[in-house]
């Protein structure tokens, strides 16, 4: 009896339940936070890794519109308190993308070989489609 009492103390003073806690569903904010964290993780690995990330997370409606990074890396710092839906937005000359489009205020830091070459504050659009987060990287010289 003493051994079972000690065991109960070690597991929080209550018998173990046979029902596991239900996992909280992932929110759009969770998906956006994960996207921006992965974006910066790719930047930490270099320009090629970041371009690979951008290629795999480019919105499927705009897969052919990607920018060359030309040896640059970009860190993006979102102001998550500014996130809001932007249902009427579309990239220049295109129709509205599928999914739920969000706009978020961001601070960008651009580096070449670890050396700061620029900083900018602006807005970033991202979309959630089929519970995946996609970005938009249109440019004048698609790859």
């Amino acid at each position: 009896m003493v051994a079972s009492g000690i065991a109960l103390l070690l597991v929080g003073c209550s018998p173990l339940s046979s029902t596991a806690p239900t996992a909280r569903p992932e929110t759009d904010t969770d998906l956006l936070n994960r996207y921006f964290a992965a974006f910066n993780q790719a930047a930490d690995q270099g320009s090629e890794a970041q371009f690979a990330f951008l290629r795999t997370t480019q919105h499927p409606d705009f897969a052919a519109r990607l920018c060359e990074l030309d040896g640059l890396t970009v860190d993006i710092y979102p102001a998550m308190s500014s996130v809001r839906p932007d249902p009427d937005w579309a990239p220049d000359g295109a129709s509205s993308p599928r999914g739920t489009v969000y706009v978020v205020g961001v601070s960008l830091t651009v580096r070449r070989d670890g050396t700061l070459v620029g900083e900018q504050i602006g807005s970033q659009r991202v979309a959630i489609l089929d519970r995946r987060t996609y970005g938009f990287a249109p440019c004048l010289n698609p790859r």
Side-chain angles (χ1 to χ4, degrees):
M1 189 66 171
V2 172
S4 64
I6 293 171
L8 288 175
L9 283 174
L10 294 175
V11 295
C13 299
S14 63
L16 296 175
S17 170
S18 63
T19 57
T22 306
R24 178 181 64 86
E26 198 167 36
T27 66
D28 284 3
T29 301
D30 294 333
L31 293 171
L32 295 173
N33 277 320
R34 191 164 22 123
Y35 171 84
F36 290 121
F39 187 102
N40 290 338
Q41 239 177 359
D44 291 344
Q45 296 172 16
S47 183
E48 287 299 315
Q50 190 164 46
F51 184 75
F53 171 81
L54 291 171
R55 187 175 48 247
T56 61
T57 61
Q58 177 77 348
H59 193 286
D61 294 349
F62 303 93
R65 297 175 73 177
L66 278 174
C67 289
E68 290 283 348
L69 293 177
D70 193 30
L72 298 172
T73 57
V74 179
D75 287 305
I76 191 166
Y77 305 100
M80 293 305 289
S81 62
S82 71
V83 172
R84 68 182 188 285
D86 195 3
D88 299 325
W89 178 82
D92 291 337
S95 59
S96 294
R98 293 176 293 144
T100 304
V101 175
Y102 291 94
V103 61
V104 59
V106 297
S107 172
L108 302 170
T109 302
V110 181
R111 297 181 190 281
R112 180 180 306 279
D113 298 323
T115 302
L116 179 67
V117 294
E119 294 179 313
Q120 184 175 354
I121 295 174
S123 297
Q124 177 73 31
R125 283 357 184 258
V126 290
I128 296 178
L129 174 64
D130 299 328
R131 304 308 302 152
R132 287 199 57 203
T133 308
Y134 294 100
F136 301 91
C139 62
L140 298 176
N141 299 316
R143 183 175 187 178

